Amino acid sequence: MIRHYLFMWFNFMVLFTLASFALEVLEGNKITTTEYWGLRDLGLVLPFLWASAAFVIYPVLVLPISWVMHRWIRTLPLRILLFAGLGAAGGLLIFRESYNEYFVHGYQLQRSTAALTFGIMGFGYTLVDRYLPTLLSRNKGNART
């Protein structure tokens, strides 16, 4: 079980970084002022910062939620709905922290993009979380000794 959650930690870091990257490309690149430091200014430092944030967010927030869902919520559609909803809510929080109201109104940034990209991240996380034990047990049987 520890192996599962360690792999999910890495998976979450990748998905979170990709969702943050997508949000930045879709919304952050609309901002053309020097007041905003985004992907164009920071380059590869920005994805490193997102991955670092995900490294901390997983054990504090996502791991306990994943454990509870594994323990008490067995139906896949409900897990997908919950993780996608939590991802969308997290995306809205990240959007609020990343872009202030001046940028949102001045450059017509869309909050729905954040909800959608992070909701998709939650959906992907749920599928990997559900099917990873099956893949690991299949590979365990095929391992050479």
Side-chain angles (χ1 to χ4, degrees):
M1 199 54 138
I2 292 173
R3 190 170 126 189
H4 172 79
Y5 287 115
L6 286 175
F7 186 82
M8 290 308 296
W9 194 352
F10 175 76
N11 176 51
F12 177 78
M13 287 176 54
V14 169
L15 289 172
F16 184 88
T17 303
L18 288 174
S20 298
F21 182 78
L23 179 62
E24 180 62 24
V25 167
L26 294 171
E27 295 299 325
N29 279 343
K30 293 178 185 177
I31 302 171
T32 56
T33 182
T34 57
E35 295 176 69
Y36 175 71
W37 285 68
L39 193 57
R40 283 188 232 161
D41 300 315
L42 296 177
L44 293 178
V45 172
L46 201 53
F48 176 75
L49 293 173
W50 295 326
S52 299
F55 184 81
V56 173
I57 291 170
Y58 182 80
V60 173
L61 294 174
V62 180
L63 178 62
I65 293 169
S66 293
W67 185 80
V68 166
M69 287 215 198
H70 260 273
R71 189 107 173 125
W72 288 294
I73 300 174
R74 296 286 182 201
T75 61
L76 184 60
L78 184 57
R79 286 165 107 182
I80 288 173
L81 183 65
L82 289 171
F83 269 122
L86 289 171
L92 291 172
L93 178 68
I94 289 167
F95 183 89
R96 188 185 75 195
E97 294 299 319
S98 298
Y99 312 112
N100 65 32
E101 288 300 315
Y102 170 74
F103 295 135
V104 172
H105 294 298
Y107 294 95
Q108 288 99 29
L109 304 183
Q110 301 296 316
R111 288 175 176 83
S112 59
T113 304
L116 185 62
T117 55
F118 281 87
I120 292 170
M121 180 201 78
F123 176 77
Y125 179 87
T126 307
L127 292 181
V128 172
D129 187 44
R130 167 61 182 91
Y131 293 110
L132 179 65
T134 306
L135 293 173
L136 290 177
S137 67
R138 227 184 263 166
N139 287 339
K140 195 178 205 180
N142 293 336
R144 293 182 185 176
T145 54

